[in-house]
Amino acid sequence: MSMTREATEALIQEVLEVYPESAKKDRAKHLAVNDQTVEQSKKCITSNRKSLPGVMTIRGCAYAGSKGVVWGPIKDMVHVSHGPVGCGQYSRAGRRNYYVGTTGINTFGTMNFTSDFQEKDIVFGGDKKLAKIVTEIEALFPLSKGITVQSECPIGLIGDDIEAVSKKSAKEIGKPVVPVRCEGFRGVSQSLGHHIANDAIRDWVLGNRDKDSSFAATPYDVTIIGDYNIGGDAWASRTLIEDMGLRVIAQWSGDGTLAEIENTPKAKLNLIHCYRSMNYISRHMEEKYGIPWLEYNFFGPTKIAESLRRIAGFFDETIQANAERVIEKYQAGYEAVIAKYRPRLQGKRVMLYVGGLRPRHVIGAYEDLGMEVVGTGYEFGHNDDYDRTIKEMGESTLIYDDVTGYEFEEFVKRVKPDLIGSGIKEKYIFQKMGIPFRQMHSWDYSGPYHGYDGFAIFARDMDMTLNNPCWRNVQAPWLKGREAAESAAAGN
Amino acid sequence: MPNVMIRVKDDGGLLFYIAKKDQEEEIASVERDSDAEWGGEIELTDGSRYYIDPISPKPAFPTTLRFKRA
Ligand code: SF4
């Protein structure tokens, strides 16, 4: 049963009721009832603003956006968390960006490198320490292809000159050393960290091979941009694109290497999955190298087929025919998946609250399984994300930006979804409320969810969670009777 | 005086992207738009207006230009 526009609006008003006047005014701008006729989301929802002091927000910091998302997965570089040890250690390897390689020898993805700032580094500055660290890394890990310096909050506060150190150290070791000014206090969320990281790639890496023509390009070279290979996502996407007869020359940045990033300007088309975190660099490459970019969506067979056809549209008829062949090849497979799971999931209602691209990209996959997304929102989306979301979401569904812990809980209590997809911080609250929950940032230790192969896993996981018998046993037995009696007494 | 990247949309329209602010808006009208010159007063679909001295000949998009608030 879906809610009417009036009911959803009333729900928002009711939830806002507890806030003080000014907070209410601010939060009201971030909550909206979806109206598919609206062209520009900024008319109905405000986003990318500072979170309200005092509320529980789910956002991360700029350092998380740069080190954790964009740079971190580049596997053959050493990413130094420059500053105190905690920022890197508590986020170490949490995103499950899979990669191939021998960790500690030629790849470094799951390791934590930090300059471990102490009081004296804050007082006297950490530049000398940084230079020493670079020399040390080169001695200990000679197969690393480069180093990035991921600034944590104190670096900007004490005014260290990491650019100067990086330039000097790069000469010393003969490899790129990239300073990234992604101190956590910059901007309102991890989103600015993505932007800063993109700019650092643009300024320090992307042009490195502009004069080098040793790379043998073909007319079918494409790149996968904004796929972090969570649980193997990029691999499941890559096989489809290669099946079409295209050649993937770079993965940004899941299972990616420095050389791939440097060779990206030689591509014919940039395929961009996570628009939010990597549109900046795609725009730059379009301007500087004339490489067009295309947003695609590899969640669920409907969107995959749509995307494959659009990608093929950029190439000749052979590729277009290949795209049809690929879709046909997987047809029996995904139809079987739908036949198996759709009856078990039909009509179930889902609420999402994630980041990046998922609040809109996974809607199609749920719909393929007969499910309905009744609420969605972004941690750190911008207006352009919401522009793209309005059309994907059903009429009069709930949209919430930078939702607070309190609001999310209240919405869930009232909307009563059958499944929630959000992050680890939300997981246990909702599980304790007895609502099936999937962690949709790193796929709850599962995946991949991209591509046809991923869809089968996605469907299985949703069924496994939703139809798990444990949910019937969450409520204490002596409370079960009481609730039934109460609702009988209330006459419903 | 924001730096703005102008790029062509799939449907041929022009997009006005202010990188610094991460803002993207479609251009509703350009005062002078011919092969010989491009620029003058520019209005976006949200009603805001910007100005650039006309450039001749018309530049190839995408490109980054400096605009004044009009
Ligand atoms: S906000 Fe600053 S101190 Fe906190 S995790 Fe981010 S970089 Fe580290």
Side-chain angles (χ1 to χ4, degrees):
Chain A
M1 147 215 76
S2 56
M3 289 168 77
T4 61
R5 165 162 296 274
E6 289 69 35
T8 317
E9 254 155 26
L11 168 61
I12 293 177
Q13 287 315 319
E14 204 184 307
V15 168
L16 286 170
E17 213 45 57
V18 300
Y19 286 129
E21 208 42 57
S22 67
K24 193 198 255 169
K25 223 173 110 201
D26 181 274
R27 286 304 305 160
K29 296 183 208 151
H30 294 264
L31 308 173
V33 186
N34 193 34
D35 179 352
Q36 289 181 324
T37 57
V38 174
E39 282 295 328
Q40 289 174 320
S41 62
K42 69 175 165 201
K43 293 198 180 116
C44 61
I45 196 157
T46 305
S47 56
N48 197 29
R49 291 284 186 285
K50 193 173 171 302
S51 304
L52 218 52
V55 303
M56 190 93 86
T57 173
I58 295 154
R59 286 173 160 175
C61 69
Y63 159 82
S66 175
K67 159 67 171 52
V69 176
V70 176
W71 280 102
I74 301 176
K75 62 180 177 177
D76 59 357
M77 294 179 89
V78 170
H79 309 287
V80 180
S81 297
H82 192 36
V85 64
C87 313
Q89 182 58 21
Y90 289 114
S91 59
R92 191 186 68 101
R95 281 190 97 230
R96 301 175 59 247
N97 315 97
Y98 283 5
Y99 59 88
V100 182
T102 311
T103 302
I105 306 295
N106 59 4
T107 48
F108 309 93
T110 50
M111 295 171 78
N112 178 30
F113 295 87
T114 175
S115 45
D116 188 20
F117 262 39
Q118 304 298 313
E119 210 172 319
K120 78 170 197 315
D121 301 314
I122 303 284
V123 175
F124 298 109
D127 284 343
K128 282 211 187 82
K129 194 172 193 179
L130 180 61
K132 202 169 144 215
I133 286 172
V134 173
T135 319
E136 226 169 76
I137 289 173
E138 179 59 16
L140 287 172
F141 305 101
L143 294 183
S144 70
K145 297 283 161 51
I147 292 168
T148 70
V149 182
Q150 306 284 336
S151 310
E152 293 166 5
C153 284
I155 307 307
L157 297 174
I158 64 176
D160 270 11
D161 191 356
I162 57 169
E163 285 82 5
V165 179
S166 299
K167 274 187 195 144
K168 213 165 139 245
S169 299
K171 275 207 198 92
E172 182 198 312
I173 64 170
K175 292 173 185 173
V177 179
V178 182
V180 191
R181 283 283 177 190
C182 56
E183 289 92 345
F185 56 75
R186 293 184 199 273
V188 298
S189 66
Q190 55 265 63
S191 185
L192 189 67
H194 304 145
H195 197 157
I196 293 169
N198 276 235
D199 288 353
I201 295 182
R202 177 194 68 196
D203 296 341
W204 296 82
V205 176
L206 203 64
N208 285 3
R209 297 195 187 201
D210 279 0
K211 292 190 190 72
D212 172 359
S213 56
S214 58
F215 180 82
T218 75
Y220 299 109
D221 292 352
V222 298
T223 61
I224 294 180
I225 295 200
D227 192 325
Y228 300 103
N229 204 28
I230 290 165
D233 276 342
W235 295 330
S237 308
R238 184 182 182 127
T239 47
L240 294 182
I241 295 169
E242 286 175 343
D243 262 5
M244 270 165 70
L246 299 174
R247 186 170 78 148
V248 178
I249 61 164
Q251 279 176 215
W252 289 53
S253 50
D255 195 29
T257 60
L258 178 64
E260 288 173 41
I261 306 271
E262 289 174 340
N263 277 327
T264 302
K266 320 248 191 289
K268 295 291 170 304
L269 175 66
N270 284 327
L271 301 174
I272 166 161
H273 207 243
C274 181
Y275 168 85
R276 180 71 279 130
S277 60
M278 284 195 173
N279 77 80
Y280 317 100
I281 199 75
S282 311
R283 287 173 194 274
H284 170 72
M285 282 192 266
E286 185 182 27
E287 183 178 7
K288 186 166 174 202
Y289 301 100
I291 307 171
W293 49 281
L294 175 75
E295 289 172 59
Y296 70 107
N297 178 354
F298 270 3
F299 286 103
T302 311
K303 291 286 171 189
I304 298 174
E306 220 171 81
S307 299
L308 288 176
R309 289 190 178 117
R310 284 194 44 212
I311 295 169
F314 269 79
F315 296 93
D316 54 35
E317 274 152 29
T318 339
I319 301 289
Q320 287 166 17
N322 284 350
E324 295 305 324
R325 258 197 323 115
V326 172
I327 297 168
E328 227 179 273
K329 176 176 148 195
Y330 287 94
Q331 192 170 4
Y334 71 72
E335 277 175 355
V337 169
I338 293 175
K340 180 170 176 193
Y341 292 107
R342 192 168 172 132
R344 299 168 63 82
L345 297 169
Q346 182 78 37
K348 299 287 186 200
R349 297 154 75 240
V350 189
M351 273 174 89
L352 297 169
Y353 181 64
V354 229
L357 71 162
R358 290 166 186 161
R360 63 171 178 277
H361 266 40
V362 297
I363 296 172
Y366 281 114
E367 285 174 353
D368 285 335
L369 292 170
M371 301 166 79
E372 188 196 355
V373 178
V374 293
T376 196
Y378 298 81
E379 276 177 36
F380 51 83
H382 297 205
N383 277 330
D384 39 4
D385 292 302
Y386 288 98
D387 286 344
R388 292 164 167 77
T389 311
I390 292 173
K391 301 279 172 259
E392 303 278 339
M393 283 291 281
E395 193 63 24
S396 306
T397 48
L398 199 53
I399 297 188
Y400 28 83
D401 175 68
D402 185 23
V403 80
T404 68
Y406 157 76
E407 288 163 14
F408 200 14
E409 245 183 89
E410 289 304 308
F411 285 148
V412 165
K413 280 184 196 153
R414 291 288 304 272
V415 177
K416 295 201 175 68
D418 301 293
L419 177 73
I420 300 172
S422 190
I424 196 73
K425 301 190 277 311
E426 297 75 70
K427 179 172 177 172
Y428 300 101
I429 300 162
F430 293 122
Q431 287 195 339
K432 285 174 188 173
M433 284 162 71
I435 301 167
F437 186 99
R438 287 300 301 185
Q439 201 263 86
M440 292 296 277
H441 290 271
S442 61
W443 309 143
D444 240 342
Y445 317 103
S446 180
Y449 283 176
H450 292 180
Y452 290 114
D453 295 336
F455 178 65
I457 298 166
F458 173 83
R460 180 206 64 189
D461 285 357
M462 295 309 139
D463 172 48
M464 190 166 84
T465 305
L466 242 162
N467 296 314
N468 194 311
C470 75
W471 305 115
R472 286 201 294 277
N473 301 318
V474 169
Q475 205 179 22
W478 61 89
L479 289 177
K480 267 184 198 156
R482 188 197 291 176
E483 199 175 65
E486 264 168 19
S487 65
N492 48 15
Chain B
M1 291 244 292
N3 265 329
V4 180
M5 186 190 282
I6 309 281
R7 64 182 288 265
V8 185
K9 243 176 94 175
D10 290 345
D11 65 4
L14 290 179
L15 289 167
F16 191 89
Y17 174 71
I18 309 176
K20 190 107 197 194
K21 291 197 190 152
D22 232 311
Q23 254 174 24
E24 189 168 61
E25 203 62 61
E26 200 173 337
I27 294 180
S29 69
V30 180
E31 195 187 2
R32 295 189 205 180
D33 187 3
S34 66
D35 287 340
E37 60 173 357
W38 190 90
E41 212 170 86
I42 284 171
E43 192 174 340
L44 308 185
T45 45
D46 68 348
S48 57
R49 307 163 86 83
Y50 291 86
Y51 177 82
I52 189 167
D53 289 328
I55 307 164
S56 70
K58 183 177 177 172
F61 301 126
T63 182
T64 300
L65 303 166
R66 259 178 110 74
F67 283 79
K68 279 206 270 289
R69 288 197 164 273

